[in-house]
Amino acid sequence: MFRTGSVGRFLFLCGLVTINLWSLASVYGISRQSVPADTIAIFKEELSDTMSTLEYHDEFLSFYEKNNYQTVLLNRFLRNGQLAYLLSDLESVADHGLDPEIFRASEFRLIMEEINREKWFRDIETYRKKVKLELLTAYAVLKYSTIMEFGLVEPQSVDSNYFSTTVTADSTFVTRVLERREVKNYLDSIQPRDRVYKAFQFALKSDELAPGKTLEETKSVLSVNMERLRWKNRQTEPKYVMVNLANFSLDVIDQEESVLNMKVCVGESGRWASPQLNSKIYSVQVNPVWNIPVSIAKSETVRNAKRDRYYLANNNIAVYKDGKRIGNPSAIDWTINNAEDYVFKQMPGELNALGKIKFLFNNDCGVYLHDTPLKSAFKKKNRAISHGCIRLEKPMELALFLFGEGAKYEQIKKAMLNGYPQAKYIGLPQSVPITLTYFTAFTDDKGDVVYCDDIYGLDEVLSARLIAGR
């Protein structure tokens, strides 16, 4: 930037005097009305080089343009050891199952130590280091804040079946973080305080082993489940229904305590995997009709009908074409007819795959909770056996929680005992939140960490993204 020659050297020295005076003023909090043009050019250059490959590039450009390209955060944080406190937190993120290099911690420490050794900003390269430390500070504070409050990885990048509403950082959040006047109290305030999260941290530090896993594998499981806890997708109402797909379990939560627990069956791994989502249960259907999806009709219903011409009638499955019910479905030759041309409905009764009751909540995946006539399935260890919907071990206990004692609950019981079952919808007095989620580590009633299998293989995907830092 500066070339040889007497005039050039003179201008260079004059510029350094300006830089040194400004730098010292910045360190000791002395305000200044204007910034030398040369330092602005250096700042812009470093901003472009340092931030071009990192998140928040546009937000940083806006922030520093507004602040006339000054080392704003260093002016705030160099005093009172606040920058050292930030570095300490960055280097301790293994307690959160994270790698310090996500925040460029080693580079941060190196430059900070170099600048601390410089009592005077003697040359342009030292000033560049100061600007770089400013930008690394801004990046680290914002990255750390974002991860602690929202998580590091986007859930949809891990699971294509993820549909839960999840809050993420926006421009308002970025601005609020960069406007912080101090570090220590702020960093302390954003530490996750969830008791399950704390239990995971304790397990991580104590080097405990999950059953059948190595220490490295155990730490990986804890790390990915801590990340899931950081995602802002959890129910905020005091009462809700939670299905942990990985553990084949349903809990009714009231004031953060489980008041009802039962086994469930969930979707098979692969095309039938159950989704992760948030919704609200608004109604039940007693003696439900099962509208068999085309995919299941093609892969199972018609295949069985080919083997046994009476399969449809014996399983109470009605067949429709062009909106009209076919009187004798056993006469259909499925070797020349396509399943796509027909609609299949399993009518209410003892054989219905949905049992005697199903619980409805809005979602785009067409899934719901339901009873099942196959009670033996709940004795299996691996209960990933459905086509995506959730089969319930204790449907009537869930109905009692949702409706409470009273006329509607009695109506449900009476309808289910009817010898001539007919489908009937009964709306809830008030909708109840439900979340279908996925945790391969959680805590029991004593607060101890419990582990389960990664039935959909999502832990490995999430672990790789945590290691990559995105």
Side-chain angles (χ1 to χ4, degrees):
M1 182 176 293
F2 299 97
R3 301 300 180 188
T4 56
S6 57
V7 175
R9 282 195 298 271
F10 174 76
L11 294 175
F12 172 70
L13 291 173
C14 289
L16 282 183
V17 170
T18 304
I19 293 168
N20 290 337
L21 291 175
W22 171 57
S23 300
L24 287 175
S26 297
V27 170
Y28 291 101
I30 302 172
S31 62
R32 202 180 43 78
Q33 297 300 316
S34 61
V35 182
D38 288 340
T39 60
I40 290 179
I42 294 168
F43 200 115
K44 287 182 176 180
E45 183 180 336
E46 286 299 319
L47 180 62
S48 177
D49 290 346
T50 304
M51 306 309 301
S52 60
T53 59
L54 301 175
E55 303 103 314
Y56 323 117
H57 184 246
D58 293 342
E59 289 83 354
F60 283 128
L61 285 176
S62 175
F63 175 73
Y64 284 110
E65 180 181 18
K66 184 179 71 173
N67 285 281
N68 204 20
Y69 301 99
Q70 299 184 54
T71 51
V72 181
L73 300 187
L74 291 191
N75 297 348
R76 299 174 189 166
F77 302 156
L78 268 177
R79 293 170 292 178
N80 303 323
Q82 293 204 62
L83 210 59
Y85 190 87
L86 169 62
L87 179 59
S88 175
D89 265 20
L90 300 181
E91 293 180 332
S92 301
V93 293
D95 294 346
H96 296 279
L98 300 168
D99 182 352
E101 290 314 303
I102 292 173
F103 310 94
R104 302 174 70 166
S106 58
E107 184 181 4
F108 189 104
R109 171 173 285 281
L110 178 64
I111 295 177
M112 191 175 81
E113 290 176 347
E114 288 178 354
I115 289 180
N116 284 341
R117 289 194 294 267
E118 296 286 347
K119 294 183 178 180
W120 293 85
F121 292 89
R122 292 187 295 270
D123 55 43
I124 208 69
E125 290 308 313
T126 306
Y127 175 68
R128 285 186 183 277
K129 289 179 183 178
K130 182 185 177 187
V131 175
K132 187 176 287 292
L133 182 60
E134 165 73 20
L135 298 176
L136 286 174
T137 299
Y139 174 74
V141 170
L142 191 51
K143 185 81 171 179
Y144 188 89
S145 301
T146 303
I147 292 175
M148 289 302 109
E149 298 209 45
F150 303 99
L152 170 62
V153 179
E154 292 185 1
Q156 294 87 348
S157 69
V158 177
D159 182 8
S160 60
N161 256 356
Y162 183 95
F163 302 101
S164 294
T165 300
T166 305
V167 180
T168 57
D170 56 17
S171 58
T172 301
F173 174 81
V174 172
T175 301
R176 189 167 69 248
V177 171
L178 293 177
E179 294 295 343
R180 291 284 172 178
R181 308 305 300 181
E182 54 80 43
V183 169
K184 183 180 184 303
N185 291 337
Y186 169 64
L187 296 181
D188 289 346
S189 73
I190 63 174
Q191 297 302 306
R193 287 173 169 77
D194 182 272
R195 60 182 177 179
V196 180
Y197 194 97
K198 291 292 187 182
F200 289 169
Q201 283 189 307
F202 180 80
L204 201 63
K205 293 178 182 179
S206 63
D207 289 344
E208 72 170 34
L209 295 180
K213 295 187 181 294
T214 65
L215 180 59
E216 182 180 359
E217 290 169 339
T218 303
K219 288 181 178 293
S220 177
V221 173
L222 291 167
S223 296
V224 298
N225 284 285
M226 291 169 78
E227 171 68 2
R228 290 178 178 127
L229 285 174
R230 289 189 290 261
W231 292 340
K232 269 194 165 46
N233 60 4
R234 304 177 72 180
Q235 295 288 357
T236 57
E237 297 187 38
K239 294 182 180 181
Y240 61 94
V241 176
M242 181 181 73
V243 176
N244 183 359
L245 302 172
N247 191 46
F248 313 120
S249 64
L250 178 148
D251 285 272
V252 173
I253 306 298
D254 188 356
Q255 303 295 338
E256 299 186 0
E257 298 291 340
S258 176
V259 296
L260 173 63
N261 173 265
M262 70 181 74
K263 297 176 181 178
V264 299
C265 299
V266 304
E268 298 175 28
S269 178
R271 65 179 295 196
W272 301 118
S274 297
Q276 297 183 65
L277 57 85
N278 289 338
S279 187
K280 288 191 174 184
I281 302 174
Y282 63 87
S283 178
V284 300
Q285 186 183 32
V286 183
N287 299 318
V289 173
W290 182 30
N291 297 302
I292 302 176
V294 174
S295 56
I296 298 177
K298 289 173 62 178
S299 63
E300 296 183 18
T301 309
V302 170
R303 183 185 63 191
N304 291 330
K306 286 180 181 178
R307 295 173 180 171
D308 177 3
R309 59 182 297 192
Y310 299 110
Y311 171 82
L312 298 172
N314 290 340
N315 285 275
N316 204 16
I317 297 176
V319 182
Y320 296 79
K321 186 173 184 180
D322 299 328
K324 297 180 180 180
R325 183 170 178 172
I326 295 174
N328 183 19
S330 61
I332 301 173
D333 184 353
W334 294 111
T335 63
I336 60 174
N337 285 277
N338 296 319
E340 294 95 330
D341 298 329
Y342 296 84
V343 173
F344 300 82
K345 296 176 181 286
Q346 190 174 37
M347 307 312 288
E350 296 294 332
L351 298 176
N352 191 286
L354 306 185
K356 292 294 189 73
I357 186 171
K358 71 176 179 180
F359 300 79
L360 303 173
F361 47 91
N362 291 324
N363 66 91
D364 294 329
C365 305
V367 301
Y368 38 82
L369 312 180
H370 66 88
D371 181 23
T372 176
L374 301 175
K375 304 301 183 183
S376 60
F378 298 110
K379 297 179 181 179
K380 296 181 178 181
K381 180 182 178 182
N382 184 345
R383 296 191 292 277
I385 58 176
S386 82
H387 292 102
C389 291
I390 312 300
R391 303 179 191 175
L392 303 174
E393 179 190 25
K394 306 172 186 176
M396 288 308 294
E397 292 187 33
L398 179 59
L400 179 58
F401 166 78
L402 295 175
F403 286 90
E405 295 282 3
K408 284 197 172 184
Y409 180 66
E410 292 302 319
Q411 184 182 5
I412 291 172
K413 290 198 297 183
K414 183 178 179 180
M416 290 174 68
L417 293 173
N418 192 331
Y420 300 93
Q422 291 183 326
K424 183 177 183 62
Y425 286 95
I426 302 175
L428 267 67
Q430 184 175 354
S431 61
V432 176
I434 179 172
T435 181
L436 274 56
T437 189
Y438 191 92
F439 284 94
T440 54
F442 43 94
T443 56
D444 60 17
D445 293 339
K446 298 178 182 178
D448 296 328
V449 178
V450 181
Y451 302 87
C452 67
D453 291 338
D454 178 22
I455 61 171
Y456 293 157
L458 300 179
D459 280 5
E460 184 177 351
V461 179
L462 181 51
S463 177
R465 293 195 174 276
L466 285 177
I467 293 170
R470 57 182 175 82

